[in-house]
């Protein structure tokens, strides 16, 4: 979990040099949990290629959308940079994968791809925990998140699967 971008994010959340401060926060969050960034799309991949669909216990993008309704502000890399001062970790991958709609992650060396994935996973967890903590301070928004946003995401995923079948 302690990749370069995650280390920067932990320092931002817990004070300079205190990257170990996240462990109690993660433990308090009741892990293991399945947290996502717009998980309704990733879960379809799990179903298609691995034969199961993990639950959605939390979704950082949905949590952020309740905290900040402005469109176009909910991307993982944008949030990681703006909220956690995480460095850009995607450019080195895009040098191999290409840019735009024709990205091919199969062209990325495995070690680089593993590092990129670790950054995504670590930052998704940190941001989701942070946004859920902010929602907990606003009980009505927290209720909407837990009782409407998360369940509706699963229902919309099923609807999208009917309309847009996986290739």
């Amino acid at each position: 979990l302690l990749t370069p971008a995650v280390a920067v994010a932990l320092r931002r959340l817990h004070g300079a040099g205190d990257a170990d401060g996240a462990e109690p926060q993660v433990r308090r969050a009741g892990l293991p949990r399945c947290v996502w960034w717009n998980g309704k799309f990733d879960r379809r991949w799990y179903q298609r290629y691995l034969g199961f669909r993990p639950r959605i216990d939390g979704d950082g993008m949905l949590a952020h959308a309740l905290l900040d309704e402005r469109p176009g502000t909910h991307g993982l890399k944008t949030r990681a940079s703006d909220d956690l001062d995480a460095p850009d970790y995607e450019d080195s991958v895009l040098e191999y994968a290409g840019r735009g709609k024709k990205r091919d992650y199969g062209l990325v060396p495995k070690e680089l791809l593993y590092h990129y994935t670790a950054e995504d996973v670590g930052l998704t967890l940190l941001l989701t925990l942070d946004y859920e903590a902010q929602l907990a301070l606003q009980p009505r928004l927290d209720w909407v998140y837990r009782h409407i946003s998360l369940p509706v995401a699963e229902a919309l995923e099923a609807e999208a699967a009917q309309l847009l079948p996986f290739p």
Side-chain angles (χ1 to χ4, degrees):
L1 186 73
L2 196 56
T3 61
V6 171
V8 169
L10 288 172
R11 284 188 198 94
R12 169 87 186 268
L13 286 173
H14 299 285
D18 187 16
D20 295 329
E23 187 179 336
Q25 179 183 0
V26 170
R27 205 175 303 121
R28 278 193 309 272
L31 295 179
R33 296 175 60 211
C34 293
V35 297
W36 306 89
W37 200 269
N38 199 13
K40 66 183 182 288
F41 292 105
D42 294 330
R43 283 172 24 112
R44 288 180 64 198
W45 184 94
Y46 273 80
Q47 181 65 47
R48 167 82 175 175
Y49 295 105
L50 300 178
F52 73 98
R53 197 167 279 191
R55 66 189 186 272
I56 297 177
D57 294 329
D59 191 305
M61 190 193 80
L62 294 176
H64 184 263
L66 287 170
L67 294 166
D68 182 349
E69 296 177 8
R70 294 175 298 144
T73 64
H74 309 300
L76 174 61
K77 279 111 184 140
T78 300
R79 298 287 24 106
S81 174
D82 290 356
D83 296 346
L84 301 175
D85 291 332
D88 184 348
Y89 59 96
E90 187 173 38
D91 274 345
S92 59
V93 168
L94 296 180
E95 288 176 25
Y96 294 94
R99 299 180 187 276
K101 300 247 183 225
K102 296 190 178 204
R103 288 184 193 171
D104 184 353
Y105 288 93
L107 300 173
V108 180
K110 295 249 187 274
E111 288 301 315
L112 183 58
L113 195 57
Y114 297 153
H115 179 79
Y116 172 79
T117 302
E119 296 283 13
D120 263 11
V121 168
L123 293 168
T124 294
L125 177 61
L126 290 173
L127 286 166
T128 301
L129 293 176
D130 184 43
Y131 298 150
E132 287 179 345
Q134 290 178 48
L135 287 171
L137 299 174
Q138 302 176 61
R140 288 183 178 171
L141 275 184
D142 191 55
W143 188 92
V144 168
Y145 173 67
R146 296 188 188 288
H147 294 93
I148 297 176
S149 295
L150 294 175
V152 166
E154 293 196 32
L156 290 176
E157 173 198 346
E159 184 69 24
Q162 296 298 319
L163 298 173
L164 303 166
F166 225 108

